[in-house]
Amino acid sequence: MTPKNLLLALSAVAAASASAQAPLGTVTNVEGVVTATQGAAGVNVTPGTQIQNGMRFVTTSRGSVTLQMNSGCTVSVPPGNGVTVLSSMTCQQLQAAVQPVVPVASQPAIAGTGVGNAAIAVGGIIIGLGVLDAATKNDNDNGGTVPVSPISAQ
């Protein structure tokens, strides 16, 4: 490959990379607290925040945000909702992607374990009561003493 062709190829890669990182739009209105995450990074959203591909916006129970996309699409995220913005989405898909956010405290740590943990706890209580009953049970109702018969020498 000639140096000229190599330079053209590198320029094309750089242009593609730059366009992939171009903002998809801008936040135009924020009420209350709204956060945006992209990967592990999170920020509080303010008007003028640039919208990047893959960014997730989440509103609090008293927050809301308006996203103005470069395509002309406007997306409103009401209180207690979230949306993940992808460059591949149409305006209709993006608006439909706005969904209520379930608070973490009301989600089980692992789906389906609530009933299993309750069954284990109840089983443990039943076993504990059985052991306690056996340990305190009086044989022949003689006040808890065990009759001892003398050893006879024969």
Side-chain angles (χ1 to χ4, degrees):
M1 182 176 260
T2 67
K4 182 179 178 182
N5 288 343
L6 179 61
L7 184 58
L8 286 173
L10 289 175
S11 296
V13 169
S17 174
S19 68
Q21 295 176 4
L24 302 177
T26 307
V27 172
T28 57
N29 186 42
V30 177
E31 297 290 329
V33 178
V34 179
T35 58
T37 56
Q38 187 170 24
V43 296
N44 282 332
V45 176
T46 59
T49 299
Q50 293 187 341
I51 302 167
Q52 300 293 333
N53 185 44
M55 214 173 222
R56 176 156 179 80
F57 293 87
V58 177
T59 61
T60 62
S61 62
R62 293 190 178 139
S64 64
V65 66
T66 303
L67 310 177
Q68 182 63 53
M69 308 307 292
N70 293 339
S71 65
C73 179
T74 300
V75 180
S76 296
V77 184
N81 280 256
V83 65
T84 301
V85 178
L86 300 175
S87 61
S88 60
M89 296 173 122
T90 66
C91 184
Q92 186 176 15
Q93 290 171 328
L94 190 54
Q95 290 170 340
V98 176
Q99 299 290 318
V101 177
V102 178
V104 174
S106 66
Q107 295 177 352
I110 301 174
T113 60
V115 173
N117 287 343
I120 291 169
V122 169
I125 291 169
I126 291 170
I127 291 170
L129 289 174
V131 169
L132 181 62
D133 182 55
T136 59
K137 190 168 190 132
N138 295 333
D139 291 338
N140 300 324
D141 288 323
N142 59 0
T145 60
V146 178
V148 179
S149 58
I151 301 175
S152 60
Q154 293 181 1

